[in-house]
Amino acid sequence: MPVHNASCWLDECLQPISEQDFTGSMELSVYDDASTDDSRKVVEGWRKRLEARGVSVVISGHSSAQPKGVGYAKNMAISQSCGKYLCFQDADDVMSPHRVRLQYEASLLNPNALIGCRVQRLPEGSTERYTRWINTITQEQLMTQVFTSHGPTVVMPTWFCSRNWFLKVEPFDEGGKGVPEDLLFFYQSLRQGGGLSRVNQCLLVYRYHEKAATHSVTEETIWKLRVDFLQERVLSQWSGFTIWNAGKQGRKLYRCLSPANRKKSKLSVMWMRTRSRKGFTHMKNPRKYRGQKSQLCTTKLPPPPSSSVLNWT
């Protein structure tokens, strides 16, 4: 568990860790990334209670002028721990008393996978659409949507995996603020042939707040990583493809492709559904004729493209 100025959440976070119904040995490994509040003191205050419940505690950290980032703190917490399985916990989240047991059982069945779970978002109703996606995405979609989702399809705060798998993939990127260390690790796990799975129970209260580290990562950073991964894993295998409905996002995707992939691609025309029963509205050059109704004509739905179709959102 990486910690940075999290004292206001730690009591609520640590209480259910002491109440886990997992019957094997457990260890809490905490790394304090230059907190300026009393985070380390709060964790130390829980040591006796946790050890009385059979949870050994390892705490370390640094007091430099600046934090070294989430990736660094996670790597340090892992390196000082000794468990065969890793349950990742953010200091501002709250796990269910059943989390470790249920995800451990799932990991035994999927030793080379990142195991997630369903979540409850706090405050209630915040990021409603995102939360619904986390909880309803199917097992198949965990894999098929890795190219279109704006982050890992198994969200980082819910991760559970074997230490052996973590070591095979690589440590977290330690670039610090603004680096999506979870997405980089997620992609690398997939490159190594790793699987994805989810326990279909709500095992984590996932807190949303303005100070969360995720807010330091820009949309453009995520976009570039998504496009690069798509080109590496998919487009490089295709001899040709069509970007179907080349609207704003489609055109942006085209501009971000490598020269080789741009040569292989085709931008489709824009098709827009109208109320007319005659068919669909067809605009040959949306950029040129934007806002000019006189350039529109109705046609029937076009035949499907002969090459592979890429829908990008």
Side-chain angles (χ1 to χ4, degrees):
M1 184 170 72
V3 172
H4 175 70
N5 291 343
S7 62
C8 61
W9 297 301
L10 282 171
D11 284 333
E12 190 177 5
C13 173
L14 295 170
Q15 179 67 42
I17 293 177
S18 70
E19 299 171 343
Q20 291 298 300
D21 60 8
F22 178 67
T23 57
S25 61
M26 286 181 54
E27 172 189 68
L28 174 64
S29 177
V30 177
Y31 190 83
D32 179 20
D33 189 21
S35 292
T36 56
D37 63 3
D38 61 346
S39 289
R40 197 183 303 199
K41 181 179 179 181
V42 174
V43 178
E44 284 287 1
W46 275 87
R47 182 188 290 273
K48 289 185 178 179
R49 279 175 284 181
L50 287 164
E51 291 178 344
R53 294 293 190 99
V55 181
S56 60
V57 180
V58 180
I59 307 171
S60 69
H62 71 96
S63 54
S64 302
Q66 295 294 328
K68 296 184 179 181
V70 179
Y72 176 82
K74 288 175 181 174
N75 287 336
M76 294 301 294
I78 292 168
S79 66
Q80 69 187 15
S81 68
C82 61
K84 293 182 179 180
Y85 291 85
L86 305 174
C87 180
F88 294 90
Q89 175 72 19
D90 287 348
D92 52 357
D93 294 337
V94 182
M95 67 166 65
S96 157
H98 316 299
R99 181 186 174 189
V100 172
R101 175 176 59 84
L102 292 176
Q103 289 192 297
Y104 169 73
E105 291 171 354
S107 190
L108 291 177
L109 299 175
N110 303 275
N112 298 334
L114 296 176
I115 310 296
C117 65
R118 288 178 172 164
V119 303
Q120 174 191 343
R121 200 62 152 149
L122 195 67
E124 200 74 38
S126 58
T127 66
E128 185 174 356
R129 183 178 178 183
Y130 176 56
T131 305
R132 183 168 61 250
W133 174 77
I134 292 172
N135 290 334
T136 60
I137 186 172
T138 66
Q139 178 62 44
E140 181 183 13
Q141 289 172 331
L142 291 177
M143 293 298 295
T144 59
Q145 291 192 13
V146 298
F147 302 106
T148 56
S149 65
H150 292 254
T153 51
V154 176
V155 295
M156 169 67 216
T158 71
W159 285 5
F160 189 107
C161 69
S162 70
R163 179 183 293 270
N164 285 341
W165 183 249
F166 175 84
L167 294 175
K168 180 177 180 180
V169 176
E170 63 179 13
F172 289 106
D173 187 286
E174 297 182 359
K177 188 176 181 179
V179 174
E181 82 293 332
D182 57 343
L183 184 58
L184 291 169
F185 185 94
F186 180 77
Y187 284 162
Q188 187 59 21
S189 179
L190 294 174
R191 289 187 185 100
Q192 297 285 348
L196 302 170
S197 187
R198 185 188 65 204
V199 175
N200 287 323
Q201 293 188 39
C202 180
L203 302 179
L204 187 76
V205 175
Y206 183 12
R207 197 183 304 270
Y208 178 83
H209 58 91
E210 293 182 355
K211 295 182 180 180
T214 187
H215 296 313
S216 70
V217 182
T218 66
E219 289 186 10
E220 282 304 309
T221 297
I222 299 296
W223 172 275
K224 185 180 185 306
L225 290 172
R226 291 173 62 205
V227 173
D228 288 349
F229 190 65
L230 176 72
Q231 293 190 95
E232 171 196 337
R233 305 295 290 180
V234 179
L235 302 188
S236 62
Q237 311 299 316
W238 289 355
S239 59
F241 58 92
T242 297
I243 301 176
W244 185 246
N245 196 341
K248 182 178 178 181
Q249 292 290 79
R251 295 194 299 272
K252 179 180 179 182
L253 171 62
Y254 177 81
R255 292 193 298 269
C256 293
L257 296 177
S258 67
N261 281 324
R262 282 202 297 269
K263 288 181 181 179
K264 293 192 294 184
S265 69
K266 294 180 181 180
L267 286 172
S268 78
V269 295
M270 182 179 290
W271 290 88
M272 298 177 295
R273 186 181 297 273
T274 67
R275 294 183 181 179
S276 170
R277 296 181 180 180
K278 295 181 180 179
F280 292 80
T281 300
H282 174 204
M283 189 187 299
K284 289 186 177 181
N285 190 334
R287 182 178 299 176
K288 181 178 179 181
Y289 299 123
R290 183 176 295 160
Q292 300 183 30
K293 294 183 179 179
S294 60
Q295 300 295 340
L296 302 181
C297 63
T298 56
T299 71
K300 293 182 178 180
L301 185 66
S306 57
S307 60
S308 300
V309 175
L310 176 62
N311 287 295
W312 186 259
T313 58

